[in-house]
Amino acid sequence: MYGNLESDEKRRREVVSSLYRSLMQNWDIPQSIQDYYGFSEDYRLFHQLEGMDSDVYYRKRETGEVPDILEVDARLTRAVEAVFESVCRRPPAPYLDRLNGELERLGRIAARPDSVHDIIHVTPSFLAKYGIDKDSPAEVICRQAERAYQELDTRFVIMTGRRPYAGGFFRYLRNERAKQEQAASREDTPRRNPRIPFKPKAIGRGRGI
């Protein structure tokens, strides 16, 4: 049904519109599109977990009976975005603006791993979507954020034709980290006491002798 969207403009617009509304407004994706693109199982599982009583969900999470809803949502979102970007020739500005905001957040986390705990701008669902573990050491968080930044930046290049940002951004990060390491090294180096010039008194007879 959706196998040749290039030659069926009506079908292509149907898919693009359905996926866009799902990503931007949380609208349900028609079952036929879910089935064709392989979203059905994660879609069903997400709504099942979402509809659970919170106490039941957390109890079953502790025993491993159900998966993490954030991970299911992240996997589904990534899959829907991938299909949307493959069938939409020119993604709308609001979609690009949203992803650009996520790119900026990834850059901030890569530069300052402690910002991963910013509960206003960095939500658990955002971290799950981009595979960032906020409980990891700072250097691990940096690597995770850099990898996610690289991947999202590449998507932007494909969608918009703009130049890649990742290379220049990573060079900037390396330079800043090198400066910080040099500054820390200077602070850790023991300082010698300043040499105080000393001029001895001339030896000779004192006045009045």
Side-chain angles (χ1 to χ4, degrees), residues 14-185:
E14 176 189 347
V15 172
V16 168
S17 178
S18 296
L19 300 183
Y20 181 74
R21 289 197 300 266
S22 173
L23 290 168
M24 302 298 290
Q25 302 168 4
N26 293 322
W27 284 30
D28 285 339
I29 299 174
Q31 189 66 50
S32 58
I33 296 178
Q34 289 184 45
D35 293 341
Y36 184 82
Y37 289 105
F39 303 148
S40 301
E41 180 57 28
D42 277 342
Y43 209 81
R44 179 200 62 76
L45 182 57
F46 174 77
H47 284 297
Q48 175 188 338
L49 297 173
E50 187 180 41
M52 277 187 182
D53 177 80
S54 59
D55 290 338
V56 173
Y57 167 76
Y58 287 115
R59 186 168 64 250
K60 289 190 174 185
R61 275 292 299 138
E62 289 179 356
T63 59
E65 294 179 60
V66 297
D68 187 337
I69 188 173
L70 293 177
E71 293 179 1
V72 175
D73 183 40
R75 186 169 63 238
L76 180 59
T77 300
R78 290 194 300 267
V80 175
E81 285 183 349
V83 174
F84 175 73
E85 292 168 19
S86 71
V87 300
C88 184
R89 300 189 183 107
R90 295 176 62 88
Y95 179 77
L96 295 176
D97 288 343
R98 191 194 71 175
L99 289 186
N100 187 65
E102 294 183 359
L103 188 70
E104 291 177 353
R105 268 175 277 170
L106 290 170
R108 186 164 63 246
I109 293 171
R112 290 183 52 248
D114 59 308
S115 66
V116 78
H117 300 288
D118 184 345
I119 61 174
I120 297 177
H121 298 101
V122 182
T123 63
S125 59
F126 174 84
L127 297 176
K129 178 182 179 183
Y130 288 105
I132 299 174
D133 180 6
K134 67 181 179 65
D135 296 321
S136 294
E139 59 272 18
V140 174
I141 293 174
C142 285
R143 288 198 300 270
Q144 292 170 339
E146 288 180 5
R147 182 180 64 248
Y149 187 101
Q150 175 72 73
E151 292 172 355
L152 184 52
D153 183 58
T154 299
R155 287 164 57 188
F156 261 102
V157 172
I158 295 171
M159 286 187 289
T160 68
R162 69 157 172 76
R163 65 178 180 82
Y165 292 167
F169 177 64
F170 294 154
R171 283 193 296 273
Y172 164 78
L173 285 186
R174 286 195 296 271
N175 290 338
E176 289 300 305
R177 287 167 185 162
K179 290 178 184 177
Q180 293 172 4
E181 290 173 1
Q182 289 174 0
S185 177

